[in-house]
């Protein structure tokens, strides 16, 4: 937490504006392609965004929504722990009624982090039944995910925590539903609908009276993170498609994603959601066609590109990772090469190859030569040189240069997070 605050403080103040001081101005903006800017979205918000007379939004990397009724309020998603108190203050300034329900669109920490801040003794917490399994999965791999999350957002890696066991998560929801959960509060009907996509427990909240659909992370202003580098179980492309169709069938007039700003108007919502759905469908189907045609995963990662009409941007999810996520989600890691059946990776022979090539110095020089033009090849060469001599300065400098070239070209938040993390790591190894 301290680290995060320090990092947030040093981030330039001219970050993304999604709302002015009055909180009313809005525009559809891509998720920032810099994780530090993305994390501080909304930090300068001084008044909650008023969506309509009853719905208010506190902005963060993940938003918190407050729905006001005459018999108490409903909170939808709770953002990250470091945003929660600020969000609660902004939203309670609009209405300080009791929190009767918290609805969690899914079990990711940037949606559940503020539950302790919002929960009151009588609050019902609603999530889809898979929420429990997902929490156990995250807790089971607690130290693995803590390290990966920190690295992706260019933060310091925390010390490993105690292992809570396979089923050691604390389950906050008091209501776990299967396909649909409905309730009424202050004359307002709420429908919570299972819409798997980003996670298996993902849900959409529908308020028919306002024609408002809270779609969590199944829609945001970038191609979705069908595979995320920090690690994930498969996120099934066809689940997203079915779930987005379910949202379209509701014919919403207001679409409220948990990242970004609301979209207003049935025609505009349909346009954006249909394009999003079709982009996912396209990438899925091209991957499947390629698999059936016997193409390997790297070829498909290179070749599959969205047609211009379906280009929804890649500032958060990236097409190539999604292609690999779909491919390996369906069939796993084996690539038909017998050498990869065994526990000896190709890198086991790097030291021999480096020696035959004249040593780490020569390989590092070639890596540096390639760093500007084909930086990924330079990274592989630097890896080879470092496998023969772990502290080789030339190889580390080539690695650093290649990473910087990639970082300067990068237009994706998660990719940038990993590049910045690796740049810091390489600098440390160079003693800088
Ligand atoms: Zn999220």
């Amino acid at each position: 937490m301290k680290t995060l605050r320090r990092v947030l403080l040093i981030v330039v103040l001219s970050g993304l504006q999604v709302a002015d001081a009055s909180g009313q101005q809005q525009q559809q903006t891509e998720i920032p392609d810099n994780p530090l800017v993305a994390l501080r979205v909304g930090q300068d918000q001084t008044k909650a965004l008023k969506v309509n007379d009853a719905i208010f939004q506190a902005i963060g990397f993940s938003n918190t929504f407050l729905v006001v009724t005459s018999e108490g309020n409903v909170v939808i998603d709770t953002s990250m722990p470091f945003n929660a108190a600020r969000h609660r203050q902004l939203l309670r300034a609009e209405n300080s009624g009791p929190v009767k329900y918290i609805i969690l669109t899914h079990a990711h920490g940037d949606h559940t982090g503020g539950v302790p801040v919002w929960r009151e003794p009588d609050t019902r917490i609603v999530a889809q039944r898979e929420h429990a399994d997902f929490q156990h999965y995250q807790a089971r791999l607690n130290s693995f995910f803590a390290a990966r999350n920190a690295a992706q957002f260019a933060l310091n890696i925390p010390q490993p925590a105690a292992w809570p066991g396979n089923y050691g998560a604390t389950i906050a929801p008091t209501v776990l539903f299967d396909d649909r959960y409905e309730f009424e509060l202050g004359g307002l009907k709420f429908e919570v609908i299972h819409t798997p996509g980003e996670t298996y427990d993902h849900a959409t909240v529908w308020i028919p009276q306002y024609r408002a659909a809270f779609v969590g992370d199944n829609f945001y202003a970038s191609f979705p993170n069908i595979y995320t580098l920090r690690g994930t179980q498969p996120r099934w492309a066809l689940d997203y498609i079915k779930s987005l169709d379910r949202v379209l069938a509701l014919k919403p007039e207001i679409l409220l994603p948990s990242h970004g700003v609301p979209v207003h108007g049935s025609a505009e919502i349909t346009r954006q959601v249909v394009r999003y759905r079709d982009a996912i469908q396209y990438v899925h189907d091209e991957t499947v066609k390629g698999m059936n045609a016997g193409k390997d995963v790297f070829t498909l990662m290179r070749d599959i590109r969205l047609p211009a009409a379906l280009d929804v941007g890649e500032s958060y999810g990236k097409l190539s990772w999604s292609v690999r996520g779909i491919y390996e989600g369906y069939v796993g890691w084996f690539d038909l090469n017998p050498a990869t059946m065994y526990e000896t990776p190709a890198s086991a022979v790097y030291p021999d190859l480096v020696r035959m090539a004249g040593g780490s110095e020569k390989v590092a020089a070639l890596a540096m030569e390639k760093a500007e033009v084909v930086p990924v090849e330079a990274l592989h060469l630097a890896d080879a040189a470092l496998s023969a001599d772990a502290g080789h300065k030339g190889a580390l400098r080539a690695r650093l240069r290649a990473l910087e070239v990639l970082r300067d070209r990068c237009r994706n938040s998660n990719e940038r997070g990993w590049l910045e993390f690796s740049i810091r790591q390489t600098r440390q190894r160079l003693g800088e």
Side-chain angles (χ1 to χ4, degrees):
M1 192 51 69
K2 265 185 190 154
T3 316
L4 183 55
R5 273 202 210 102
R6 189 169 53 76
V7 169
L8 292 175
L9 280 174
I10 58 167
V11 169
V12 284
L13 288 168
S14 60
L16 179 92
Q17 299 281 328
V18 288
D20 67 10
S22 73
Q24 299 309 313
Q25 181 204 324
Q26 54 174 287
Q27 61 198 59
Q28 189 58 25
T29 41
E30 278 206 343
I31 293 183
D33 63 12
N34 182 329
L36 298 182
V37 175
L39 272 184
R40 74 167 295 286
V41 164
Q43 296 293 315
D44 49 359
Q45 187 185 18
T46 54
K47 187 164 169 46
L49 180 71
K50 185 179 177 182
V51 179
N52 68 13
D53 285 343
I55 302 174
F56 298 89
Q57 176 180 337
I59 297 165
F61 170 66
S62 197
N63 304 315
T64 307
F65 297 97
L66 183 77
V67 184
V68 175
T69 88
S70 58
E71 287 173 18
N73 297 337
V74 176
V75 171
I76 299 170
D77 279 349
T78 62
S79 199
M80 290 172 141
F82 75 90
N83 273 330
R86 180 176 66 78
H87 281 191
R88 185 168 179 271
Q89 199 180 14
L90 285 169
L91 294 169
R92 275 179 63 85
E94 302 298 334
N95 189 293
S96 60
V99 177
K100 297 289 193 183
Y101 288 87
I102 296 170
I103 307 173
L104 300 170
T105 63
H106 61 292
H108 277 155
D110 55 325
H111 302 257
T112 61
V115 166
V117 171
W118 282 102
R119 183 202 278 128
E120 296 170 10
D122 296 328
T123 306
R124 288 186 197 173
I125 305 176
V126 179
Q128 201 277 336
R129 191 168 304 286
E130 296 281 344
H131 178 100
D133 252 2
F134 199 84
Q135 290 288 14
H136 290 311
Y137 153 69
Q138 291 183 121
R140 193 176 301 146
L141 291 162
N142 61 342
S143 296
F144 178 93
F145 282 131
R148 296 262 189 127
N149 281 325
Q152 181 158 309
F153 288 98
L155 306 172
N156 290 325
I157 306 275
Q159 290 296 314
W163 186 55
N166 283 322
Y167 299 96
T170 309
I171 307 302
T174 56
V175 176
L176 290 172
F177 69 95
D178 289 305
D179 184 57
R180 174 186 281 268
Y181 179 74
E182 298 185 5
F183 64 92
E184 224 178 272
L185 188 68
L188 203 59
K189 193 174 166 200
F190 291 79
E191 298 176 21
V192 194
I193 305 162
H194 188 205
T195 49
E198 166 96 0
T199 58
Y200 305 149
D201 73 324
H202 196 284
T204 293
V205 185
W206 170 240
I207 307 179
Q209 197 169 317
Y210 301 135
R211 307 210 69 74
F214 300 76
V215 289
D217 285 7
N218 278 351
F219 174 86
Y220 45 67
S222 161
F223 194 82
N225 224 6
I226 286 182
Y227 175 80
T228 182
L229 297 180
R230 67 193 163 82
T232 180
Q233 295 170 301
R235 297 177 178 178
W236 301 115
L238 296 180
D239 278 357
Y240 279 93
I241 290 162
K242 278 186 214 145
S243 293
L244 291 168
D245 276 337
R246 218 165 164 186
V247 170
L248 284 167
L250 298 168
K251 303 203 184 310
E253 284 290 339
I254 314 171
L255 191 86
L256 303 105
S258 286
H259 299 269
V261 291
V263 186
H264 291 269
S266 172
E268 179 60 14
I269 290 168
T270 302
R271 187 188 72 78
Q272 288 196 27
V273 175
V274 164
R275 186 176 65 152
Y276 203 69
R277 178 200 65 189
D278 291 352
I280 297 170
Q281 181 92 57
Y282 180 86
V283 171
H284 171 269
D285 290 358
E286 290 302 305
T287 304
V288 168
K289 280 186 224 163
M291 291 171 77
N292 283 324
K295 292 187 179 172
D296 70 276
V297 70
F298 295 107
T299 300
L300 295 177
M301 286 171 75
R302 271 195 307 271
D303 290 354
I304 296 177
R305 302 253 66 82
L306 284 171
L310 298 180
D311 185 1
V312 294
E314 296 182 63
S315 67
Y316 198 72
K318 204 171 163 173
L319 242 53
S320 55
W321 309 332
S322 295
V323 167
R324 190 168 181 178
I326 293 164
Y327 197 119
E328 295 188 352
Y330 276 137
V331 299
W333 51 265
F334 184 53
D335 60 0
L336 304 188
N337 177 356
T340 60
M341 285 199 293
Y342 302 98
E343 60 275 24
T344 305
S347 58
V349 301
Y350 283 180
D352 284 340
L353 292 174
V354 169
R355 187 169 42 77
M356 289 172 68
S360 288
E361 195 64 36
K362 288 219 157 132
V363 177
L366 181 60
M368 190 54 110
E369 217 178 285
K370 291 200 172 208
E372 308 288 333
V373 190
V374 276
V376 179
E377 287 185 20
L379 286 181
H380 287 312
L381 285 166
D383 281 345
L386 290 166
S387 75
D389 178 356
H392 193 276
K393 295 279 184 204
L396 286 169
R397 274 193 289 273
R399 181 173 202 267
L400 182 60
R401 188 65 206 130
L403 290 168
E404 287 169 346
V405 169
L406 287 166
R407 192 250 338 257
D408 294 345
R409 291 180 186 174
C410 167
R411 293 288 171 271
N412 176 285
S413 169
N414 295 304
E415 180 184 357
R416 183 180 298 267
W418 286 102
L419 292 169
E420 294 285 6
F421 169 74
S422 304
I423 285 170
R424 278 201 306 167
Q425 217 182 32
T426 309
R427 286 212 172 106
Q428 274 163 14
R429 285 171 73 183
L430 273 165
E432 286 176 10

